Amino acid sequence: FRKLPVPIHNLGYRPWKEKLTRPSSRWRNISASGVRLAQKSLWVKRAVFAAWLPVLYWGLGFFVIGQAMEGKLQLNDGGNRPVVQKAFDAVEKQLKKVNPMLVPTANRLAVASILRRQFRKVPKVEQLASALESGDEMLARNRIWCWLLMTFLRYPQGILILFLIGTIAPALIARDIRSKAFLLYFSRPIGKLDYLLGKFFIPATFIMLVTTLPAMALYMFGILMSPDLSVFWSTWDVPVRILIGSAFLILPTVSLALMFSSLTQETRFASFGWFAFFTLGHGAWWAIVFSTAIKKGMVNSQDLPMVMEEPEVKRWGLLSLYNNIGEAQSWVFGFSSWQEVMPSMIVLLAITVVSLSITYRQISSPLRV
């Protein structure tokens, strides 16, 4: 009698022959899959495309300012007459007789005059005009670029972010709560912090795509349009300001949107909460602005910037998330002091911390017995 071998085909644990990944890559995998899913939406594609259109307008601003500082800009209208003032031709002729190198200075003074007249409703324009009138060309260029990028992040991109986040973020956690996807996530070696970071960076990725990248593209365009590389040494801090300004835009908005998403199983309720918080706060501030303007008899639209700078009106600006982000970015780009923006900083910090704490607690609730 001969013993026959009994085949055993890998009973029990089997060896893992694939490449192991680090635990830090878990949240990145969640974000990557969420980004791929979100970019399939037609509305998201339209929002991203629309967010890049203002780059053309602000790029023109970089070009015009650069040409003006180099003395190559002809500030003429259709009739070949100066648009700044009628005496500009005479001043330019006198400057050419005395010293041709003074003509770029005259151009900078002309641009400063245009900014004061045509863009007086834009915040911090007075500081920009003063920088142009100074004799320090490097300082003037730095201030101009910071101002252009600050207005770019605050106005077109800040408004488009409202719709972009409202399209992406409300469904991120609410959908998992409704479909019981927590059971699938947390049955694997994925922690609550991994899940939260993964969901956070889904809308954050799209915000960086429509704010940080276009702003960096404008900065590179300005460098390429400059006469020499010395401009880089006078504007090296601008990319750092862009990154910090984008962070002040991303942290409170994404945290707040995720909180609304974690509080309900219905995406439409989370979307309504996001839009209501954003618009009602800003609408309440505008109501205070108009009521103060009527009370002071300053009903002209040109007087509204003066009304907004009133101390009692600025205090109520803390109601608006949009205003608080704008104040923080104003400090980042060097147009406000820390004392002026400290209340807004506290509000943004409180919104971020409270929102993330509530979201983390809601994520942990399905795991509690």
Side-chain angles (χ1 to χ4, degrees):
F1 180 80
R2 188 175 61 179
K3 299 176 72 174
L4 296 176
V6 179
I8 301 177
H9 298 288
N10 292 333
L11 295 179
Y13 291 102
R14 298 182 182 182
W16 177 259
K17 298 181 180 180
E18 301 295 332
K19 182 179 179 181
L20 294 176
T21 58
R22 295 181 179 181
S24 60
S25 64
R26 297 166 185 166
W27 68 267
R28 291 199 296 268
N29 293 332
I30 297 175
S31 296
S33 61
V35 169
R36 287 193 297 268
L37 183 63
Q39 69 182 2
K40 295 179 181 179
S41 172
L42 182 61
W43 288 105
V44 172
K45 294 179 180 178
R46 290 174 177 174
V48 172
F49 176 77
W52 276 83
L53 292 179
V55 173
L56 301 177
Y57 184 79
W58 262 259
L60 180 62
F62 271 87
F63 174 78
V64 171
I65 292 296
Q67 293 295 305
M69 295 192 68
E70 296 300 322
K72 301 177 182 179
L73 181 65
Q74 300 295 327
L75 297 172
N76 297 331
D77 58 10
N80 292 325
R81 294 183 59 81
V83 298
V84 180
Q85 54 185 1
K86 294 181 180 180
F88 184 77
D89 284 338
V91 172
E92 186 175 3
K93 289 180 181 179
Q94 293 297 325
L95 288 174
K96 286 182 178 180
K97 292 179 181 179
V98 177
N99 187 355
M101 298 298 294
L102 294 178
V103 176
T105 302
N107 274 339
R108 290 198 294 272
L109 295 177
V111 173
S113 177
I114 290 178
L115 290 174
R116 282 197 173 96
R117 291 193 309 148
Q118 302 296 331
F119 298 92
R120 56 182 176 271
K121 299 180 182 179
V122 179
K124 316 301 179 183
V125 71
E126 181 62 32
Q127 299 181 27
L128 177 63
S130 300
L132 271 174
E133 292 174 344
S134 67
D136 193 341
E137 180 179 348
M138 295 299 181
L139 174 63
R141 190 183 297 272
N142 184 288
R143 291 293 83 202
I144 291 170
W145 287 20
C146 286
W147 180 75
L148 287 172
L149 292 170
M150 181 191 69
T151 54
F152 174 75
L153 293 177
R154 182 169 185 176
Y155 294 105
Q157 309 311 98
I159 296 173
L160 285 170
I161 289 305
L162 168 67
F163 300 98
L164 187 61
I165 294 180
T167 304
I168 299 173
L172 292 179
I173 302 179
R175 185 171 49 199
D176 291 343
I177 296 175
R178 184 176 63 250
S179 63
K180 306 298 182 182
F182 285 105
L183 301 177
L184 178 61
Y185 276 109
F186 297 123
S187 64
R188 303 185 179 192
I190 296 177
K192 292 172 288 186
L193 186 59
D194 297 327
Y195 178 83
L196 179 58
L197 285 176
K199 294 296 183 178
F200 182 91
F201 276 95
I202 294 173
T205 300
F206 285 96
I207 294 178
M208 288 187 288
L209 181 63
V210 300
T211 57
T212 309
L213 289 183
M216 288 293 186
L218 287 173
Y219 173 75
M220 294 305 300
F221 176 76
I223 292 292
L224 294 176
M225 293 297 299
S226 301
D228 51 60
L229 292 180
S230 64
V231 175
F232 172 77
W233 300 110
S234 63
T235 59
W236 65 268
D237 61 321
V238 175
V240 179
R241 296 178 188 272
I242 292 173
L243 294 176
I244 299 176
S246 301
F248 277 110
L249 178 61
I250 292 171
L251 287 173
T253 54
V254 175
S255 301
L256 186 65
L258 289 181
M259 183 194 71
F260 286 122
S261 180
S262 66
L263 291 175
T264 179
Q265 297 183 12
E266 297 293 336
T267 302
R268 61 180 183 272
F269 294 155
S271 180
F272 174 79
W274 161 251
F275 283 107
F277 186 93
F278 198 100
T279 56
L280 289 179
H282 196 62
W285 176 77
W286 269 112
I288 295 172
V289 171
F290 284 122
S291 62
T292 305
I294 295 173
K295 181 180 178 180
K296 293 180 177 293
M298 304 171 69
V299 295
N300 195 331
S301 61
Q302 298 178 357
D303 298 328
L304 286 180
M306 298 176 59
V307 176
M308 294 177 186
E309 296 298 324
E310 294 289 335
E312 61 271 17
V313 176
K314 293 195 72 172
R315 285 198 300 267
W316 288 104
L318 298 177
L319 294 174
S320 172
L321 177 62
Y322 177 77
N323 281 354
N324 289 321
I325 294 174
E327 290 295 326
Q329 290 176 337
S330 175
W331 172 74
V332 169
F333 284 97
F335 290 97
S336 296
S337 64
W338 172 254
Q339 289 75 15
E340 293 176 335
V341 304
M342 185 172 62
S344 296
M345 292 287 193
I346 295 174
V347 171
L348 293 178
L349 178 62
I351 290 175
T352 304
V353 172
V354 172
S355 299
L356 290 178
S357 300
I358 294 176
T359 305
Y360 188 83
R361 178 177 175 81
Q362 293 297 114
I363 291 172
S364 305
S365 60
L367 303 181
R368 292 195 296 266
V369 179

